[in-house]
């Protein structure tokens, strides 16, 4: 099973080709250029490098959020365009699940954190299973304080907590101060979502026929837009 | 010669649109998914809400454009997409989808300026346009007067210094409590009222250049409303009619001045505000006695659509002006 995986939910533009549980090629760009400029040239490059055309793919995999609203849409629009023209199915992955997969094999509690701005984070807590990360709660948005109290609640006796994601970079000092020796941090190459991880997770989902409807698929924003929020509060 | 089929995609504001056009002239399909009802509850287009609608609708709209044209994806020769100007988040949805589609089909990508598209809408319906021509571009985001040598070459004679004409319509409509979108709302109210019962300024009409300004007219309308309200004499429909008249007289007179100065025989109108009935008829009326022919797209091609993007894309296709896969979206005008 050949899968092209795409992730543009954070400042990283990632793309990977995986064949069954083997990564053939991966591109990870965490540099200042915008996703709209880098994403498709990256896809083009890795596909050519592996002598693949869209017709060779069995499916496309995509991280659908949470994350940067615009980033999520760039990835999703790109993947929808490719998938529609090539008549290929799409597998959707949570960005937080994908991020948590970087801590595979750990016995500790895993917290995936993405910077949500406005002094908040998108986060999810996981315990790692053989078949991949298992979410212990719904993905949420909340303050660093909420993250710490969630972590304390979920940590079992003797367990530590691994925090990863660009949300950690932003509030690292606070988490260190609060969690001290209970905190574990991943090395830099595992701190941000990897398209290769999304591809590997997608292989199992695709195997189980978990595909999305191209015509209905939308990003998982978690947050309403500012205007919708104000409308709901009766301010508009 | 083989027919050239171009798919056009347009998501610069609050319409998700796709269309297939043959040889830059014949519209085979023209699908428009309007979000106007959704934005009406906010009193105007909300960029993030528009982008969220685009990403959910885009595949369905493009698919429908192929189905209506009776074509398979492989049948098209290129994908044309609006990449400027507009709401960046909204543009990026159409642009990214277009890139994915074009790359997947191994077809060239064509970058189209939204305003060039509006101007090109005239070419989709009229075969007898004589160049050089003067073109009045009036929309929610832009107001400018161009001197066109042909469909691909022109110079800007002047533009608005503040609000665009459509923007002034929206703001005044909101202020007068007429609702959103402002253009149709003011036009409707004006039909019930009468212009000239009070006097609003014809801004910049005394100047010899082709610059516009509508911010002052907007403020004058607001002040007039307050004054009339105080005196208990406010007739909203009359005020709407006078506002509309003051705005379109400037548009028409400046267009005529440019036409006579440059000796052109055609005046083109383009953009959403060109759908305004009073503007269309005043322009017709004022050119009748002169040897000038007025062209404007039919109402459905004045407002945002993708047929105009596919049409303009054809012009680039036949010149081999292909865009790179690095193409980005830009909010404001880099060239017009």
């Amino acid at each position: 099973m050949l899968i092209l995986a795409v992730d543009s939910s954070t400042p990283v533009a990632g793309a990977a080709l995986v064949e069954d549980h083997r990564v053939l090629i991966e591109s990870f760009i965490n540099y200042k250029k915008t996703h709209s400029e880098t994403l498709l040239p990256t896809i083009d490059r890795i596909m050519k490098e592996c002598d693949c055309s869209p017709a060779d793919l069995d499916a496309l995999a995509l991280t659908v959020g949470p994350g940067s609203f615009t980033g999520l849409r760039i990835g999703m629009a790109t993947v929808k365009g490719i998938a529609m023209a090539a008549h290929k199915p799409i597998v959707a992955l949570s960005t937080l699940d994908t991020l948590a997969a970087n801590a595979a094999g750990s016995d500790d509690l895993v917290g995936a954190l993405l910077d949500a701005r406005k002094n908040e984070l998108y986060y999810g807590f996981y315990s790692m299973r053989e078949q991949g990360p298992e979410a212990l709660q719904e993905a949420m948005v909340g303050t660093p304080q909420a993250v710490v109290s969630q972590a304390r609640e979920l940590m079992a006796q003797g367990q530590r907590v691994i925090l990863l994601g660009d949300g950690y970079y932003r509030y690292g000092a606070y988490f260190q101060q609060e969690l001290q020796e209970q905190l574990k941090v991943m090395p830099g190459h595992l701190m941000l979502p990897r398209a290769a991880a999304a591809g590997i997770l997608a292989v199992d989902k695709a195997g189980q026929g978990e595909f999305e409807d191209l015509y209905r698929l939308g990003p998982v924003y978690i947050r309403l837009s500012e205007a919708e929020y104000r409308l709901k509060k009766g301010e508009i | 010669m083989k027919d050239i089929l171009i798919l056009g995609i347009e998501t610069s504001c609050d319409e998700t649109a796709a269309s297939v056009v043959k040889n830059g002239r014949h519209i085979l399909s023209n699908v428009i998914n309007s979000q106007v009802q959704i934005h009406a509850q906010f009193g105007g287009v909300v960029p993030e809400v528009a982008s969220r609608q685009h990403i959910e609708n885009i595949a369905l709209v493009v698919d429908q454009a192929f189905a209506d044209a009776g074509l398979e994806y492989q049948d098209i020769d290129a994908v044309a997409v609006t990449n400027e100007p507009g709401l960046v988040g909204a543009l990026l949805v159409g642009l990214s989808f277009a890139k994915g589609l074009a790359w997947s089909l191994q077809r060239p990508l064509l970058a189209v300026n939204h305003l060039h598209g509006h101007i090109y809408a005239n070419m989709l319906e009229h075969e007898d346009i004589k160049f050089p021509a003067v073109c009045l571009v009036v929309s929610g985001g832009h107001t400018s007067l161009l001197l066109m040598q042909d469909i691909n070459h022109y110079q800007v004679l002047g533009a608005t210094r503040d609000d665009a004409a459509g923007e002034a319509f929206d703001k005044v409509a909101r202020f007068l409590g007429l609702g959103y979108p402002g253009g149709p709302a003011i036009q409707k109210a004006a039909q019930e009222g009468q212009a000239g019962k009070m006097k609003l300024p014809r801004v910049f009409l005394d100047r010899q250049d082709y610059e516009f300004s509508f911010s002052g007219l907007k403020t004058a309308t607001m002040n007039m409303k307050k004054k009339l309200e105080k005196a208990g004499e406010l007739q909203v429909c009359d005020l709407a009619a006078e506002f509309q008249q003051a705005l379109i007289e400037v548009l028409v007179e400046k267009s005529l001045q440019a036409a006579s100065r440059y000796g052109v025989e055609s005046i083109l109108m383009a953009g959403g505000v060109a759908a305004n009935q009073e503007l269309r008829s005043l322009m017709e009326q004022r050119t009748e006695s002169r040897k000038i022919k007025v062209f404007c797209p039919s109402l459905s091609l004045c407002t945002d659509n993708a047929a105009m993007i596919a049409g303009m894309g054809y012009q680039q296709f036949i010149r081999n002006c292909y865009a790179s896969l690095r193409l980005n979206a830009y909010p404001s005008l880099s060239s017009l």
Side-chain angles (χ1 to χ4, degrees):
Chain A
M1 174 146 9
L2 185 68
I3 292 184
L4 169 66
V6 173
D7 166 56
S8 57
S9 7
T10 70
V12 176
L17 260 180
V18 304
E19 187 162 34
D20 301 324
H21 286 98
R22 228 156 41 94
V23 178
L24 301 183
I25 190 166
E26 181 182 18
S27 169
F28 177 100
I29 304 177
N30 187 15
Y31 191 63
K32 46 198 164 194
K33 296 217 174 82
T34 65
H35 291 335
S36 56
E37 289 172 287
T38 51
L39 195 59
L40 201 57
T42 300
I43 292 170
D44 183 52
R45 181 170 52 79
I46 68 168
M47 292 281 282
K48 282 193 176 130
E49 195 71 52
C50 296
D51 306 313
C52 284
S53 75
D56 301 323
L57 298 171
D58 291 291
L60 287 99
L62 171 73
T63 50
V64 295
S68 143
F69 297 165
T70 299
L72 291 171
R73 285 190 289 262
I74 290 172
M76 186 171 286
T78 304
V79 164
K80 280 188 175 185
I82 297 171
M84 192 172 106
H87 302 283
K88 301 295 177 185
I90 298 176
V91 179
L93 290 313
S94 150
T95 307
L96 292 172
D97 290 5
T98 302
L99 183 54
N102 288 358
S106 168
D107 293 327
D108 292 309
L109 176 67
V110 175
L113 318 174
L114 296 170
D115 186 3
R117 302 196 198 163
K118 302 180 186 175
N119 297 315
E120 290 189 322
L121 303 111
Y122 300 116
Y123 65 96
F125 282 98
Y126 295 82
S127 79
M128 305 313 290
R129 304 269 179 251
E130 197 127 326
Q131 64 275 20
E134 185 196 332
L136 301 176
Q137 28 118 283
E138 293 263 293
M140 314 242 251
V141 62
T143 59
Q145 289 75 19
V147 170
V148 167
S149 81
Q150 255 322 302
R152 286 191 177 128
E153 212 168 282
L154 292 169
M155 260 187 285
Q157 195 73 42
Q159 229 187 358
R160 297 206 286 171
V161 60
I162 295 176
L163 294 183
L164 66 173
D166 64 353
Y168 177 80
Y169 287 137
R170 181 136 197 177
Y171 301 104
Y174 170 76
F175 292 129
Q176 280 166 22
Q177 176 201 316
E178 288 292 317
L179 296 162
Q180 300 195 5
E181 71 280 1
Q182 286 180 300
L183 174 68
K184 268 168 85 173
V185 180
M186 300 297 280
H189 67 287
L190 295 170
M191 280 299 276
L192 295 169
R194 299 282 295 258
I200 295 296
L201 291 176
V203 170
D204 290 334
K205 276 193 145 188
Q208 288 155 17
E210 286 183 45
F211 298 116
E212 302 299 321
D213 179 351
L214 169 73
Y215 300 113
R216 289 171 177 272
L217 182 63
V220 176
Y221 299 106
I222 298 190
R223 269 193 191 143
L224 289 175
S225 69
E226 192 64 35
E228 288 168 303
Y229 180 71
R230 288 178 51 207
L231 188 70
K232 219 173 140 187
K233 271 177 59 187
E235 287 176 12
I236 293 180
Chain B
M1 217 176 86
K2 184 192 166 292
D3 287 332
I4 303 294
L5 299 170
I6 309 281
L7 170 72
I9 294 177
E10 152 68 37
T11 61
S12 68
C13 191
D14 61 341
E15 258 105 27
T16 316
S19 162
V20 180
V21 170
K22 186 170 83 176
N23 299 332
R25 287 257 179 214
H26 307 288
I27 301 173
L28 303 186
S29 62
N30 190 13
V31 181
I32 302 171
N33 179 298
S34 174
Q35 307 167 8
V36 69
Q37 297 300 332
I38 293 162
H39 295 284
Q41 60 187 329
F42 303 106
V45 177
V46 180
E48 174 61 21
V49 173
S51 304
R52 289 183 178 204
Q53 291 294 315
H54 286 311
I55 188 65
E56 292 195 12
N57 296 333
I58 186 79
L60 202 56
V61 166
V62 173
D63 214 30
Q64 191 64 45
F66 279 100
D68 288 358
L71 296 171
E72 300 292 326
Y73 304 140
Q74 288 293 341
D75 295 335
I76 56 158
D77 294 284
V79 180
V81 64
T82 311
N83 78 314
E84 66 175 341
L87 305 169
V88 165
L91 286 167
L92 283 170
V93 174
L95 175 61
S96 303
F97 187 88
K99 281 189 192 180
L101 194 81
W103 176 80
S104 198
L105 293 171
Q106 296 180 280
R107 297 291 186 274
L109 181 72
L110 310 163
V112 175
N113 177 307
H114 180 77
L115 295 177
H116 294 189
H118 271 306
I119 297 165
Y120 193 86
N122 282 293
M123 307 293 282
L124 291 169
E125 295 180 306
H126 309 297
E127 296 194 4
D128 52 339
I129 300 172
K130 273 197 196 157
F131 288 100
V134 159
C135 182
L136 174 67
V137 183
V138 266
S139 71
H142 303 274
T143 302
S144 41
L145 208 50
L146 316 176
L147 177 63
M148 309 187 62
Q149 281 75 46
D150 59 52
I151 195 63
N152 293 302
H153 300 93
Y154 40 77
Q155 69 185 93
V156 180
L157 299 176
T160 182
R161 299 203 165 173
D162 38 60
D163 291 355
E167 200 179 350
F169 269 106
D170 279 341
K171 287 177 178 170
V172 167
R174 190 184 310 173
F175 189 76
L176 296 181
L178 295 172
Y180 172 86
I186 288 200
Q187 175 172 298
K188 186 158 173 275
Q191 279 160 0
E192 315 276 308
Q194 200 186 331
K197 289 200 175 167
M198 68 290 284
K199 192 73 183 166
L200 289 171
R202 272 58 175 164
V203 181
F204 284 8
L205 204 52
D206 51 340
R207 292 163 55 125
Q208 295 306 301
D209 61 19
Y210 305 104
E211 301 288 300
F212 299 95
S213 166
F214 297 113
S215 171
L217 173 60
K218 178 189 69 191
T219 310
T221 308
M222 290 174 177
N223 290 339
M224 182 67 78
K225 182 197 175 219
K226 286 180 201 152
K227 193 180 123 194
L228 293 170
E229 230 166 10
K230 223 173 188 176
E233 293 168 359
L234 176 65
Q235 298 291 335
V236 170
C237 293
D238 290 338
L239 185 54
E242 173 64 12
F243 162 76
Q244 177 176 269
Q245 191 65 25
L247 190 147
I248 66 176
E249 269 182 28
V250 176
L251 295 176
V252 170
E253 291 309 322
K254 294 248 176 197
S255 303
L256 290 170
Q257 283 167 17
S260 85
R261 174 158 171 205
Y262 293 98
V264 307
E265 292 175 39
S266 316
I267 294 179
L268 277 55
M269 293 201 279
V273 180
N276 183 287
Q277 291 296 353
E278 277 304 310
L279 172 61
R280 291 163 88 104
S281 59
L282 187 67
M283 191 74 94
E284 289 283 355
Q285 237 177 60
R286 299 281 287 114
T287 47
E288 234 167 26
S289 57
R290 311 172 195 214
K291 270 175 60 191
I292 298 173
K293 206 162 169 210
V294 176
F295 297 90
C296 41
S298 55
L299 294 182
S300 64
L301 290 179
C302 277
T303 44
D304 289 355
N305 65 85
M308 66 188 199
I309 303 304
M312 192 63 212
Y314 170 80
Q315 292 293 323
Q316 298 178 9
F317 182 80
I318 57 177
R319 282 176 187 72
N320 300 321
C321 291
Y322 303 156
S324 127
L325 290 178
R326 289 197 170 272
L327 183 69
N328 210 342
Y330 303 96
S332 53
L333 232 44
S334 62
S335 65
L336 187 95

